[in-house]
Amino acid sequence: MENKRASALFTFVALSILAFVFLIPIGLVVMNSFKSRLYISSQPFAFPSSETFAGFGNYINGLTSSGFAAAFGRSVFITVFSVLLIVVCASMTAWYIVRANSAVTKLLYYLFVFSMIVPFQMVMYTMTYVVNKLNFDNLIGIVFVYLGFGSGLSVFMFSGFVKSIPLEIEEAATIDGCSPLQTFFRIVFPVLKPTAITVSILNAMWIWNDYLLPYLVLGTDDKTVPVAIQIAMQGAYGATDYGGFMAMLVLAIIPIVIFYAVSQKYIIKGVIAGAVKG
Amino acid sequence: MRKSLSRYFPVFVLPTLAAFTIAFAVPFVMGIYLSFTKFTTITNAQWVGIDNYVKAFTYDGDFVHALWFTALFTVVSVVTVNVFAFILALLLTRGIRGTNFFRSVFFMPNLIGGIVLGYIWNLLINGVLSYSGTDLTYKAEYGFWGLVLLTNWQLIGYMMVIYIAGLQNIPDSLSEAASIDGASPFKTLIRIKIPMVMASITICTFLTLTNSFKMFDQNLALTAGLPEKETEMLALNIYNTFYGRSGWQGIGQAKAVMFFIIVAAIAFIQLKITKSREVEQ
């Protein structure tokens, strides 16, 4: 017994140290975001002193100088509307595919599943061309592009769930005079809620953090948060404002931390479900 | 039911299908075709057969180098991430105090995007290396191990969560029976726990494999391929071939097709293994 308690204590201490090590990278960025820019690359591990402390100056610079605030707004817009569109459209499509169960819908299903294994580099050049030709290279267009890329995994996950819903309830609704649209939104969609949450989380994490797709589709004028960060670092070589840059990194992480703190349970469940099915 | 349903095809399927066609299906088919052509603007594509595929290997050594670099990086990452993640999962299923807190901390880096991750580690590693007067772009080894560290930080928590779910599915009666029979903790691990979480091991191996092999953002932000393209991974090499040199788009597309085939092969093998496991159980 004594032995067991000692080993539990040892594990606890070891995990505490490891947890601290895990937080160092983020802590380092937060710490440096409060130092004036000249002291960041020269002494990254020094705590801010009265001489090097910059208050919120870096945050003001980071938000104003490079259009980061606008980028933030764009990222929110694209993420929210893409996720909404994906959840509604992909669940409808998945339900239709399962219930119609014809040769055409089976083929469609396999096409969606196939798209999941294709790496982005395979289609990035031609996709950019098609999107530009169709004038989809704007904030509204990119939401539609995300529907196209997100539909593979989302249709796949919704289909898996729809298959497990008994048909009787839907048949009863049809007999009562419900159209397929009414049946879907009044009866099926509420049942799909757990999968809808999982699909939302997986897509939100992907779209919020995505760099290459918005960079290729929207370019550098309409930059999102990851694009703004990449440009701030690579765009003006030698003249990078490290202070503002650190503040940008912190600002990019904050929404993720809040999102995580609020819905941690769902996120971990969703990620496991996504991994097991994908 | 079926007949009346087909009238609703435009409402239920068409929006998704249109987006899918524009963003994925058409570009995919075009991509296959263009990999056999020489072009700069797509409209001026000229058929050159398998020329691009040959040139990808022969014109310079970058593609082959990126292939080996990526393969080595992937092997090292898969092994380290899974070993550490599994150990953490074992420690966090023993009911010690603070389990939830530890799990949250270890998982969190997974939510941060590749570009931000890359720059966080860029600051940290360059800060450490500055004591010896060097930085990440000084030697390819630095970039390689930097990428391994970053990948471990990002993926350990994710895999750990999957292993925890697997370990919690093992019925208590099994471990109890083993300890009554006098099995040591090590024997219980080898004979019971590991065989019982084989499904999780397959999933985690596959996820780390594809994540590491397809890595782009982290590579771009941490080293950008420096020094001299020596730390350039496959995805970044393809990107640079497309957008770095005019007239090389066809070769870039050929590389992208080969990249797709390798990733598809990995996925196919994974599917086979999972299927055969399912039969066993």
Side-chain angles (χ1 to χ4, degrees):
Chain A
M1 207 63 218
E2 193 72 355
N3 219 339
K4 219 170 188 179
R5 210 174 283 164
S7 94
L9 185 69
F10 178 77
T11 312
F12 181 78
V13 172
L15 285 172
S16 302
I17 294 169
L18 195 64
F20 179 73
V21 171
F22 252 74
L23 291 173
I24 284 176
I26 294 173
L28 189 71
V29 173
V30 173
M31 187 176 89
N32 277 290
S33 71
F34 289 104
K35 289 196 323 210
S36 97
R37 59 205 258 182
L38 299 170
Y39 300 95
I40 291 167
S41 45
S42 61
Q43 307 157 10
F45 299 112
F47 277 101
S49 66
S50 57
E51 185 194 350
T52 60
F53 186 65
F56 283 98
N58 290 330
Y59 286 86
I60 292 161
N61 286 343
L63 275 171
T64 51
S65 64
S66 52
F68 190 77
F72 201 91
R74 256 178 237 121
S75 273
V76 171
F77 176 90
I78 294 172
T79 307
V80 168
F81 285 101
S82 301
V83 169
L84 283 177
L85 193 67
I86 289 172
V87 167
V88 173
C89 290
S91 63
M92 289 172 82
T93 305
W95 182 75
Y96 185 94
I97 283 177
V98 174
R99 292 296 182 239
N101 198 22
S102 65
V104 177
T105 62
K106 270 187 189 138
L107 175 72
L108 278 178
Y109 178 74
Y110 285 116
L111 275 177
F112 283 122
V113 172
F114 170 76
S115 76
M116 282 163 45
I117 60 161
V118 178
F120 184 65
Q121 275 72 19
M122 173 65 207
V123 294
M124 69 177 176
Y125 193 87
T126 41
M127 182 275 293
T128 313
Y129 174 81
V130 172
V131 164
N132 279 328
K133 278 277 161 224
L134 296 172
N135 289 324
F136 274 41
D137 49 351
N138 49 55
L139 283 186
I140 309 286
I142 198 171
V143 169
F144 198 64
V145 174
Y146 271 121
L147 171 62
F149 274 104
S151 55
L153 178 70
S154 308
V155 167
F156 175 70
M157 292 192 71
F158 277 122
S159 301
F161 197 83
V162 170
K163 278 177 200 155
S164 69
I165 304 174
L167 205 58
E168 284 81 11
I169 320 165
E170 291 167 36
E171 279 170 346
T174 312
I175 292 164
D176 288 348
C178 279
S179 74
L181 267 176
Q182 286 168 322
T183 309
F184 179 79
F185 282 107
R186 294 215 185 129
I187 294 161
V188 181
F189 195 75
V191 183
L192 289 176
K193 209 177 128 197
T195 312
I197 293 172
T198 303
V199 168
S200 306
I201 286 168
L202 291 175
N203 283 303
M205 277 165 51
W206 160 52
I207 295 168
W208 177 264
N209 289 322
D210 200 16
Y211 162 73
L212 198 48
L213 195 154
Y215 176 70
L216 292 174
V217 170
L218 300 175
T220 52
D221 293 333
D222 281 336
K223 40 188 196 254
T224 60
V225 169
V227 177
I229 287 172
Q230 174 65 13
I231 289 172
M233 201 56 187
Q234 301 298 329
Y237 226 78
T240 308
D241 171 10
Y242 272 96
F245 187 68
M246 290 300 134
M248 280 186 195
L249 291 180
V250 174
L251 290 169
I253 297 172
I254 286 174
I256 299 170
V257 172
I258 294 172
F259 178 56
Y260 185 46
V262 173
S263 51
Q264 201 204 111
K265 208 175 73 191
Y266 293 109
I267 292 177
I268 292 183
K269 246 191 223 160
V271 166
I272 294 175
V276 173
K277 284 182 181 152
Chain B
M1 167 116 182
R2 255 192 215 179
K3 229 181 191 165
S4 64
L5 194 59
S6 63
R7 281 195 299 135
Y8 284 85
F9 182 86
V11 187
F12 279 90
V13 182
L14 211 57
T16 318
L17 187 60
F20 181 77
T21 309
I22 289 166
F24 177 78
V26 169
F28 182 83
V29 175
M30 278 172 78
I32 302 268
Y33 164 71
L34 286 172
S35 73
F36 296 103
T37 66
K38 189 173 169 60
F39 65 96
T40 48
T41 56
I42 292 187
T43 40
N44 63 4
Q46 281 181 323
W47 188 264
V48 291
I50 60 159
D51 210 31
N52 292 328
Y53 289 86
V54 176
K55 274 190 183 152
F57 289 100
T58 55
Y59 210 87
D60 58 31
D62 291 352
F63 185 62
V64 178
H65 180 269
L67 188 62
W68 285 117
F69 186 86
T70 309
L72 188 64
F73 164 78
T74 303
V75 170
V76 174
S77 298
V78 167
V79 173
T80 50
V81 168
N82 282 288
V83 168
F84 289 131
F86 191 72
I87 292 172
L88 281 182
L90 284 175
L91 294 177
L92 289 180
T93 43
R94 293 170 60 185
I96 59 156
R97 246 185 314 152
T99 295
N100 280 335
F101 169 77
F102 290 130
R103 197 183 61 167
S104 306
V105 170
F106 296 141
F107 182 79
M108 196 185 56
N110 183 247
L111 300 173
I112 302 173
I115 291 285
V116 176
L117 270 174
Y119 284 116
I120 291 175
W121 279 89
N122 190 301
L123 173 80
L124 179 61
I125 297 172
N126 276 334
V128 173
L129 289 176
S130 69
Y131 288 109
S132 62
T134 56
D135 66 11
L136 264 169
T137 59
Y138 180 72
K139 263 205 280 187
E141 282 79 21
Y142 291 175
F144 180 84
W145 291 108
L147 283 167
V148 170
L149 254 175
L150 179 158
T151 308
N152 269 273
W153 191 64
Q154 183 183 16
L155 293 179
I156 280 177
Y158 182 5
M159 300 309 138
M160 176 197 76
V161 163
I162 298 173
Y163 282 129
I164 288 176
L167 285 168
Q168 282 170 342
N169 274 339
I170 303 176
D172 286 339
S173 55
L174 264 182
S175 327
E176 274 165 28
S179 71
I180 289 168
D181 288 348
S184 66
F186 182 72
K187 224 170 192 176
T188 315
L189 173 70
I190 300 291
R191 293 280 165 80
I192 294 174
K193 285 187 179 162
I194 291 183
M196 287 301 285
V197 295
M198 256 348 241
S200 308
I201 294 177
T202 319
I203 293 163
C204 288
T205 310
F206 175 65
L207 282 173
T208 37
L209 200 67
T210 48
N211 262 311
S212 312
F213 199 79
K214 293 198 287 189
M215 186 166 285
F216 177 84
D217 294 3
Q218 293 88 331
N219 191 200
L220 180 70
L222 191 73
T223 68
L226 295 170
E228 284 287 318
K229 298 190 170 192
E230 277 183 57
T231 59
E232 194 179 63
M233 293 175 63
L234 271 179
L236 186 59
N237 177 266
I238 293 167
Y239 176 85
N240 285 336
T241 313
F242 266 123
Y243 298 100
R245 303 172 173 183
S246 188
W248 276 63
Q249 286 89 341
I251 298 168
Q253 190 61 56
K255 287 177 178 179
V257 172
M258 289 187 272
F259 187 50
F260 155 62
I261 290 169
I262 298 171
V263 172
I266 295 172
F268 185 73
I269 293 165
Q270 147 77 10
L271 198 73
K272 282 266 161 194
I273 294 172
T274 318
K275 277 269 157 65
S276 67
R277 285 263 154 63
E278 274 167 16
V279 178
E280 271 170 40
Q281 277 171 355

